[in-house]
Amino acid sequence: MPDQVTSVSQGIDPSAVIHPTAVVAEGARIGPNCRIGPWCVVSAEAVLEEGVFLQSHAVIDGQVHLGAGVQVMSFASVGLPPQDLKYKGEPTRVEIGARTVIREHATIHRGSVGGHGVTKVGADCLIMCVAHIGHDCELDHHVILANNVMLGGHVHIADTVFVGGGAAIHQFVRIGRQAVIGGMSGVEADVIPFGAVMGNRARLTGLNLIGLKRRGFPRSQIHVLRGIYRSLFRSSGVFEERLAAAEAQHGTDPVVREILDFVRTDSRRGLCRAGREIVDDEDSAEG
């Protein structure tokens, strides 16, 4: 960034470096070693913790808290008003966790009074180009949204979920931990932890076996999860009876318990059900 200047006014740490064309409103809190590039706009209510980097033309609007080391790339915007006709300018906010990267043209809207008043993105997330996070969404840690992903309002995504490019997630959908969403999918129902879904409209195609292996899940645990998945989503009979049988057999296993608790939690969207199954050849060969 050529012709950088350092400012000590407006609550700006003296080690922060701000380009002279950037507009930082009085009242903004800029932490140590932050860098704000050309033509950026930072609102008076914004808080940037240590080491935040705003590339050129980034916009931080309203009550936005950026955790340490967050990066916001060119033409991305964080904290603009929700796309909600009921919103009347109430003081809602956005919180972004440490080290999260928000790539070019991504948009993250502040919460609404119809939700919890806050949109949250956890630590170590990657929000790729042109992705959109609607009002009142909550993303936990290590979530990856590929290019052009669209999240409707009030979506909740748990840790280590990957959402493929161009996928659209309906408002109020829950996505469980370490699930994977195939590119171009349209997800209108809740996705169980460790599940894999794809299609329009998306259906369960199995478990995120690659993700489980990469995360170091033991083979014995993966076999238990495959058995639970098949008994719940690939077997005949009444679903509640299958759920009770799975709980009686494996209810003390913490990973199985996570799936069962997710299924039993009240939902506005229902569960994503099974469609065409995609078999992992290596794992199926092991029986």
Side-chain angles (χ1 to χ4, degrees):
M1 294 183 292
D3 302 319
Q4 294 171 336
V5 297
T6 301
S7 174
V8 294
S9 63
Q10 307 175 10
I12 299 171
D13 189 274
S15 64
V17 178
I18 302 173
H19 194 276
T21 61
V23 178
V24 179
E26 184 175 356
R29 294 164 53 192
I30 312 298
N33 303 311
C34 288
R35 293 181 294 154
I36 300 178
W39 309 107
C40 290
V41 177
V42 179
S43 68
E45 301 89 356
V47 176
L48 279 59
E49 293 191 11
E50 181 174 3
V52 167
F53 172 54
L54 306 183
Q55 203 175 49
S56 66
H57 298 85
V59 175
I60 309 300
D61 185 73
Q63 296 185 32
V64 175
H65 190 120
L66 301 182
V70 165
Q71 300 179 48
V72 184
M73 300 303 183
S74 296
F75 300 100
S77 63
V78 180
L80 269 71
Q83 296 177 135
D84 181 351
L85 293 176
K86 300 183 295 298
Y87 182 74
K88 304 302 180 185
E90 297 88 353
T92 57
R93 65 190 194 278
V94 172
E95 298 175 1
I96 309 294
R99 299 173 301 280
T100 283
V101 176
I102 301 167
R103 294 301 303 261
E104 301 89 316
H105 294 277
T107 54
I108 302 176
H109 288 173
R110 71 182 75 145
S112 71
V113 293
H116 299 294
V118 58
T119 301
K120 293 183 178 181
V121 177
D124 300 295
C125 296
L126 174 57
I127 313 302
M128 295 190 195
C129 298
V130 203
H132 172 68
I133 299 175
H135 60 84
D136 303 288
C137 287
E138 183 172 351
L139 281 62
D140 293 341
H141 308 307
H142 300 279
V143 173
I144 298 176
L145 305 184
N147 294 7
N148 300 290
V149 165
M150 298 167 284
L151 305 185
H154 311 276
V155 169
H156 178 240
I157 300 180
D159 291 344
T160 63
V161 167
F162 176 82
V163 184
I169 315 296
H170 195 286
Q171 61 185 14
F172 293 103
V173 160
R174 300 177 301 140
I175 299 178
R177 181 167 71 99
Q178 207 166 310
V180 60
I181 311 300
M184 303 299 292
S185 294
V187 183
E188 59 183 359
D190 296 347
V191 179
I192 60 169
F194 319 108
V197 305
M198 66 182 304
N200 185 10
R201 299 294 195 232
R203 293 292 180 264
L204 276 168
T205 58
L207 295 176
N208 182 12
L209 296 173
I210 293 174
L212 289 168
K213 293 171 184 176
R214 287 177 176 171
R215 295 280 173 182
F217 278 68
R219 185 172 302 181
S220 58
Q221 180 73 79
I222 293 174
H223 280 303
V224 169
L225 286 173
R226 291 188 70 199
I228 291 297
Y229 169 78
R230 287 172 176 168
S231 65
L232 289 179
F233 296 100
R234 292 289 176 183
S235 300
S236 59
V238 178
F239 184 76
E240 282 296 327
E241 294 176 355
R242 304 200 304 272
L243 190 63
E247 189 161 19
Q249 187 174 6
H250 295 288
T252 58
D253 184 308
V255 178
V256 174
R257 181 82 259 161
E258 185 174 348
I259 295 176
L260 298 177
D261 289 345
F262 183 93
V263 170
R264 290 192 180 281
T265 299
D266 289 339
S267 168
R268 296 182 63 163
R269 299 301 307 167
L271 283 177
C272 190
R273 300 293 179 153
R276 181 174 63 89
E277 185 169 20
I278 297 177
V279 178
D280 180 271
D281 292 335
E282 179 185 348
D283 198 69
S284 63
E286 297 166 2

